[in-house]
Amino acid sequence: MTETVSENSEVTVLLVDDNPQNLKVLYETLKDKGYRLLIANEGEKALDLAHRHHPEVILLDIMMPEMDGYEVCERLKADPQTADCAVVFLSALDDLQAKVKGFSLGGADYISKPFQSQEVIARVKTHAQVIRLERELQARNRELQGDQTRILNSISEGIYGLDENGIIEFANPAAGMIMGCPLEDLIGKSFFDLHFTTASDSEDNLPVMATCRQGVAENQRDIRMLRADGSGFPAEYRSTPKLDDEELHGAVVVFRDITTELENEQALEDARAMVQEQRDQLAHTSRLSTMGEMAAGFAHEVNQPLTAITNYARVAKRMMGKEQPDLGLLQETLDKVEAQSHRASEIIRRIRRFMKKPATGKEILSVPGLLEDTRQFAEVDMRNNEGGIEVQVEDSLPDVLADPIQVQQVALNLIRNALEATRSAGAATPVEVSARRCGDHCVRVQVRDHGIGVAEEAEEKLFHPFHTTKDEGMGIGLATCRSLIQAQGGEIGYERPDDGGACFWFTLPVSGAEGELCAPEE
């Protein structure tokens, strides 16, 4: 007799007994308890039902013909599909040996005949709950393992699980792709022997060794690792210790091939170098343009001391032509010749220093000295524009780190623009050049004029390439200034003074504060 008794199926209970009366009593005891009940009157049928329906609980009689309950239980536990069922033995045998044998075969419990209904209900309920929870836990574990496997398989970085000796216990598909071999060829191999030619020479210094043996996490970039075929590649890896209750069991290693990344970084560095070279070329072209505009003034500047030298030399010759020359007066005249030659030499020195390409790079600079040198250089424009320049520097101003030639080019450009604007407005107020500390990391240099100012619609385009308000300008001056100041790690900008004119400023990083934000105060 085999039939399904109830379809109220959250928990399935299989009743197995060769005695119909016992089956009826069990059925009557459990029928209203919400179980799905299956019945079988002999061992083979019980195994078939268990295999097809996977009951949580099996109430199993021991004394049955052909196949007793012990053999049924043994075969149930040998089958992976039914091994987790809770087998509760039913028997009139009440001796200790019968119970011990049942438990040794995998039985979960033992109920003696004649059984009490309340005892059967309680024990079935307990075992059903335990098995249901165990199966839910197993299903959840399988789900988590599946999720974990899918995650590991989708990661593009190689992942190894190593034991404490560095033997590879696990590898994800990406590890096989990077290594260029099947995963089974990696499992069981030494991570160190597989990836490093020096594994046998200096074992203690090998990457990941400290993680496996001491539990020290590591992270290195651009180390050379080997593939399965012996070819090398640059890699980045991170290793973390595998801990179980604070006991070290090896390491997890995540690694990746950074060949393309390094090539891209080198290409980016080459592009930056090219941009810097083009910036320097543009700055040099701008200086040549500035020098062309100032050429007539400089010719006049140099001509003055040369003319004085010629005149003093003629005077000295006349003195030496006398029978008794005045040696004191002759010495004074020669001193004047020397002074004028130094004056001409200083003018030429400033021109040559301004004209040379910036090859020295950034230096620690004194801002007052730099601005005074620029003011002297701008004297030609100052006289041509019939204006003046006043320099005001805050006391105890710190030194800055910048390229002196490029900063002087920016300052000179702003001062010359200010002088031209002042002359265009017919004003006589000197151009004000000032420097002060701006926060903890910057020095701010400001050039202020009282000229015609900048039209509101032109403010946003002031530093754009090829934008100019001059009839003959090319529009590269302020754009070049911005490029040069940004190359120093500073910023440049424009402010509209309330009383008219224009105010241009730029910032430079204080020496020792490189890498910090260098921006104007709000």
Side-chain angles (χ1 to χ4, degrees), residues 84-104:
D84 65 341
C85 299
V87 176
V88 178
F89 286 111
L90 304 171
S91 179
L93 299 174
D94 198 23
D95 63 284
L96 179 62
Q97 293 301 321
K99 293 181 179 180
V100 169
K101 182 177 180 180
F103 289 130
S104 68

Side-chain angles (χ1 to χ4, degrees), residues 276 280 283 287 358 403-411 484 487-488:
Q276 182 61 46
D280 292 343
R287 288 198 298 277
D403 186 306
I405 302 302
Q406 295 187 353
V407 174
Q408 187 181 65
Q409 179 175 349
V410 173
L484 295 179
Q488 314 307 314

Side-chain angles (χ1 to χ4, degrees), residues 55-56 76-77 79-86 131 134-135 138:
E56 279 77 10
L76 286 170
K77 295 302 177 180
D79 186 346
Q81 294 190 41
T82 57
D84 65 341
C85 299
I131 297 302
E134 287 182 351
R135 289 183 176 180
Q138 290 173 0

Side-chain angles (χ1 to χ4, degrees), residues 236-253:
E236 178 181 22
Y237 80 87
R238 300 183 304 278
S239 62
T240 54
K242 285 196 304 184
L243 299 174
D244 185 5
D245 292 333
E246 298 186 359
E247 183 178 350
L248 183 62
H249 291 280
V252 175
V253 182

Side-chain angles (χ1 to χ4, degrees), residues 68-201:
D68 64 14
Y70 293 134
E71 185 178 351
V72 172
C73 180
E74 189 173 13
R75 290 176 61 176
L76 286 170
K77 295 302 177 180
D79 186 346
Q81 294 190 41
T82 57
D84 65 341
C85 299
V87 176
V88 178
F89 286 111
L90 304 171
S91 179
L93 299 174
D94 198 23
D95 63 284
L96 179 62
Q97 293 301 321
K99 293 181 179 180
V100 169
K101 182 177 180 180
F103 289 130
S104 68
L105 293 174
D109 207 345
Y110 196 99
I111 299 177
S112 299
K113 295 180 181 180
F115 43 76
Q116 302 295 320
S117 296
Q118 293 303 317
E119 180 183 9
V120 172
I121 292 171
R123 298 203 183 197
V124 168
K125 180 180 179 181
T126 298
H127 288 296
Q129 289 176 341
V130 171
I131 297 302
R132 174 62 69 183
L133 290 174
E134 287 182 351
R135 289 183 176 180
E136 289 177 355
L137 181 60
Q138 290 173 0
R140 182 57 179 158
N141 285 339
R142 286 192 295 271
E143 182 181 342
L144 291 175
Q145 289 174 355
D147 290 342
Q148 182 184 48
T149 300
R150 284 190 292 273
I151 291 171
L152 292 175
N153 289 348
S154 67
I155 292 175
S156 60
E157 296 175 314
I159 300 177
Y160 286 139
L162 311 181
D163 68 11
E164 60 272 17
N165 295 314
I167 302 302
I168 300 173
E169 298 178 321
F170 166 82
N172 73 333
M177 291 182 63
I178 294 174
M179 289 298 294
C181 68
L183 292 183
E184 53 268 24
D185 291 351
L186 299 175
I187 305 301
K189 298 288 183 63
S190 167
F191 169 80
F192 308 108
D193 293 339
L194 189 64
H195 284 293
F196 305 103
T197 57
T198 58
S200 59
D201 301 331

Side-chain angles (χ1 to χ4, degrees), residues 15 48 53 71 86 97 100 147 188 206 378 414 432 439 446 485:
L15 312 176
D48 179 64
H53 297 283
E71 185 178 351
Q97 293 301 321
V100 169
D147 290 342
L206 287 173
L414 297 180
E432 301 164 7
Q446 178 175 296
I485 290 300

